[in-house]
Amino acid sequence: MSSSTGLTLHSMGFSRWLNRSVGFFVFFILDIVDFLLCFIYRTLDFFFESEWKPCYCCPPPEAKQAAAGGNRGRKMIVSERSGEYSKVVSLTRTKIHLDEISDTLYSRPSLLAKLVKCFKKNAVECSDERSPSTKKKTLLTVNSTVVEKLQRTPRWSDCHCTFCTSWLSSSNSSLFVNVQQPKDNKAQENVVFIHGFLSSSTFWTETLFPNFSDSAKSNYRFLAVDLLGYGKSPKPNDSLYTLKEHLEMIERSVISQFRLKTFHVVAHSLGCILALALAAKRPGAIKSITLLAPPYYSVPKGVQATQYVMRQMAPKEVWPPMAFAASVASWYEHLSRTVSLVLCKNHHLLEFLTKLLTRNRMRTYLIEGFLCHTHNASWHTLHNIIFGSGSKIEAYLDHVRDNVNCDVSVFHGGRDELIPVECSYGVKRRVPRARIHIVPDKDHITIVVGRQKEFAGELELIWRRSSTT
């Protein structure tokens, strides 16, 4: 091995050590800040909403079981310690299955949590020695009380602007769907676009829709959906935003409402999981699947899938910045709520400042998609779908390989720092017929933005190829 190679390896090793060392102290401080914010938000929630609001800081193990128990109504209240804390859960069906709730909501190990747990354990042991017969057992009850006003009332920390609350003025609880179709309404085929995490339908409508050829515009009906909790779609503050809820809303608002018998699917990031789940559920309806930066991590045997995916996407490192941002959003419920409070609640101001500083040269549709959501929606979607699908996505890919007879194409930016290129190669190993396209010098967003004309042409080629097979 040459001396230059040895120096390079040594430098890389030192960089990793420095990143982890600095990260250890930074995230320990963030652990403390998030712990303090927990009490601050409980106080503020009680002040503004006249009741204590629960969080996932220290829930009992039985919490998931209670959520999974289901009830016969459309809502239930999961309460701890005889109602001291309660969470109203909105149900779109009669039961929430246990595997729909990711354990990463409740279990996010940290040094501070270990210290607190150790302190509590010692305190309990001391208490048991004094009075062993008075050991208390935490009980979790499920109350079927219906609280209608919580479903449609935004929380005090959410944005109350007309754009973010437009769904409240409609009695229709369907998702918002942006439709572009031929003038004669005689489209030969349909294409469903599913956006990624912290995004909206504008990711497609502002980039691809204007750049499709006249031929495509006259033959295809394009349907770009705002997912539950994003854009102009409903943002119920009492939903758990599970995979099943997202799928049911897409089926009801897009497939059933527009009577789609067959359709192509184009999905980005988080949307890839929903697209694969949709293909597994409706194999005969899918004409082609196009995935952009799919978050598929091959989980080693014997490893808990949800925790593994969370650590891969949010490794608790301060560098690169994308990893740090993902770590804060994933590990810290109250810090991420603070970011949402500052940014999302003031998104109009940020849009104005962006236009002012760039002299209107920069389109703000990405800001709209990035900020027009609630913390409850982003927090639960991140954990219950992106992390929670860690043990499911392989089964979806296997189903697509064996039971869905359609073209599968995967695009990935060569410089994607959020989801590594290896994820797309993993899809190829699982579905050998999948065509992989690695686009050099593009990242998680610029895989589309900045090359929309080229990508629109690539999609049209995929659809034509699918129609002839």
Side-chain angles (χ1 to χ4, degrees):
M1 181 174 63
S2 65
S3 58
S4 60
T5 304
L7 288 173
T8 301
L9 292 175
H10 182 269
S11 176
M12 291 175 61
F14 177 75
S15 298
R16 283 195 295 267
W17 175 85
L18 182 63
N19 194 11
R20 292 174 181 174
S21 299
V22 173
F24 176 83
F25 291 103
V26 169
F27 286 104
F28 180 68
I29 293 173
L30 294 182
D31 288 340
I32 297 174
V33 173
D34 198 68
F35 180 77
L36 297 175
L37 284 173
C38 174
F39 296 98
I40 293 174
Y41 277 117
R42 283 190 180 182
T43 303
L44 290 174
D45 288 341
F46 185 80
F47 177 79
F48 286 107
E49 300 174 357
S50 302
E51 64 177 319
W52 300 109
K53 293 290 185 178
C55 63
Y56 293 103
C57 290
C58 303
E62 296 90 344
K64 285 175 62 177
Q65 297 173 9
N71 88 35
R72 299 184 186 279
R74 288 184 59 79
K75 296 181 186 294
M76 66 180 180
I77 296 181
V78 180
S79 61
E80 179 189 353
R81 299 175 187 171
S82 301
E84 181 179 351
Y85 306 121
S86 64
K87 181 172 183 65
V88 179
V89 180
S90 174
L91 303 179
T92 57
R93 55 201 173 281
T94 56
K95 178 182 284 187
I96 291 180
H97 295 284
L98 183 63
D99 62 355
E100 292 178 43
I101 311 301
S102 174
D103 69 288
T104 58
L105 282 169
Y106 299 91
S107 178
R108 300 183 304 280
S110 68
L111 178 60
L112 180 64
K114 292 179 181 178
L115 293 175
V116 172
K117 184 177 181 180
C118 183
F119 175 79
K120 287 183 177 180
K121 182 178 179 181
N122 291 334
V124 170
E125 288 177 353
C126 292
S127 176
D128 290 345
E129 289 177 2
R130 296 191 188 116
S131 54
S133 61
T134 60
K135 185 181 293 186
K136 295 182 178 181
K137 183 178 180 180
T138 302
L139 298 176
L140 210 71
T141 61
V142 178
N143 188 335
S144 61
T145 304
V146 176
V147 185
E148 289 293 344
K149 66 176 182 178
L150 287 182
Q151 183 184 14
R152 301 181 67 85
T153 305
R155 301 197 63 179
W156 68 268
S157 55
D158 296 333
C159 180
H160 289 66
C161 76
T162 54
F163 179 90
C164 292
T165 59
S166 59
W167 64 280
L168 294 172
S169 61
S170 172
S171 58
N172 185 1
S173 60
S174 297
L175 301 178
F176 174 79
V177 184
N178 196 315
V179 182
Q180 179 175 304
Q181 58 186 349
K183 294 180 180 179
D184 59 4
N185 294 328
K186 294 182 180 180
Q188 297 179 13
E189 297 184 44
N190 302 289
V191 186
V192 177
F193 293 84
I194 307 176
H195 64 77
F197 185 61
L198 301 185
S199 188
S200 71
S201 58
T202 56
F203 183 76
W204 309 111
T205 59
E206 295 288 337
T207 56
L208 294 180
F209 281 26
N211 286 287
F212 286 123
S213 66
D214 292 337
S215 174
K217 291 177 182 178
S218 62
N219 287 288
Y220 296 95
R221 176 168 55 172
F222 305 125
L223 304 103
V225 60
D226 281 344
L227 293 177
L228 184 67
Y230 295 89
K232 295 181 180 179
S233 284
K235 304 174 181 68
N237 59 41
D238 51 357
S239 171
L240 293 179
Y241 294 88
T242 62
L243 181 66
K244 209 163 200 176
E245 285 175 299
H246 276 285
L247 274 183
E248 287 178 354
M249 288 297 285
I250 291 174
E251 288 182 304
R252 187 175 72 189
S253 307
V254 184
I255 299 174
S256 297
Q257 182 172 330
F258 293 93
R259 299 178 181 179
L260 306 186
K261 294 182 179 180
T262 60
F263 52 91
H264 303 269
V265 182
V266 181
H268 177 237
S269 191
L270 155 76
C272 296
I273 300 172
L274 298 174
L276 291 170
L278 188 62
K281 190 172 184 180
R282 294 174 173 263
I286 307 299
K287 301 201 70 174
S288 73
I289 303 174
T290 304
L291 308 176
L292 288 81
Y296 166 57
Y297 295 86
S298 182
V299 181
K301 290 184 179 180
V303 177
Q304 192 171 8
T306 52
Q307 294 288 334
Y308 178 82
V309 173
M310 182 173 70
R311 291 180 182 277
Q312 291 296 309
M313 293 195 67
K316 272 197 170 184
E317 295 178 353
V318 295
W319 193 264
M322 186 68 79
F324 178 72
S327 298
V328 172
S330 304
W331 290 85
Y332 300 105
E333 180 180 2
H334 305 293
L335 270 173
S336 60
R337 185 180 178 185
T338 303
V339 173
S340 179
L341 172 62
V342 173
L343 298 182
C344 298
K345 198 173 178 67
N346 300 287
H347 67 90
H348 285 300
L349 176 61
L350 292 175
E351 290 175 15
F352 170 77
L353 292 175
T354 301
K355 290 179 180 179
L356 182 65
L357 294 175
T358 60
R359 297 182 181 179
N360 285 325
R361 288 194 299 267
M362 181 177 176
R363 301 290 295 276
T364 57
Y365 64 87
L366 288 177
I367 295 179
E368 175 188 306
F370 186 70
L371 298 180
C372 293
H373 63 271
T374 64
H375 173 256
N376 184 63
S378 61
W379 178 256
H380 285 95
T381 298
L382 175 64
H383 285 271
N384 284 336
I385 297 186
I386 297 182
F387 301 153
S389 66
S391 59
K392 305 173 186 176
I393 193 167
E394 285 191 353
Y396 296 150
L397 288 169
D398 290 347
H399 195 89
V400 168
R401 179 193 63 206
D402 300 332
N403 301 296
V404 183
N405 184 24
C406 73
D407 183 282
V408 180
S409 299
V410 183
F411 292 81
H412 212 122
R415 291 190 176 182
D416 193 330
E417 294 181 341
L418 183 61
I419 298 177
V421 174
E422 177 58 29
C423 289
S424 287
Y425 288 124
V427 173
K428 172 69 173 179
R429 286 191 291 270
R430 211 78 196 181
V431 186
R433 73 174 185 275
R435 294 181 172 92
I436 307 297
H437 307 269
I438 306 301
V439 185
D441 301 323
K442 300 300 179 183
D443 58 27
H444 198 66
I445 301 298
T446 56
I447 186 68
V448 174
V449 179
R451 63 181 297 270
Q452 49 262 36
K453 187 71 174 179
E454 180 182 355
F455 185 56
E458 292 167 341
L459 285 176
E460 291 182 34
L461 180 62
I462 291 171
W463 300 335
R464 288 197 299 269
R465 185 172 61 222
S466 299
S467 299
T468 58
T469 56

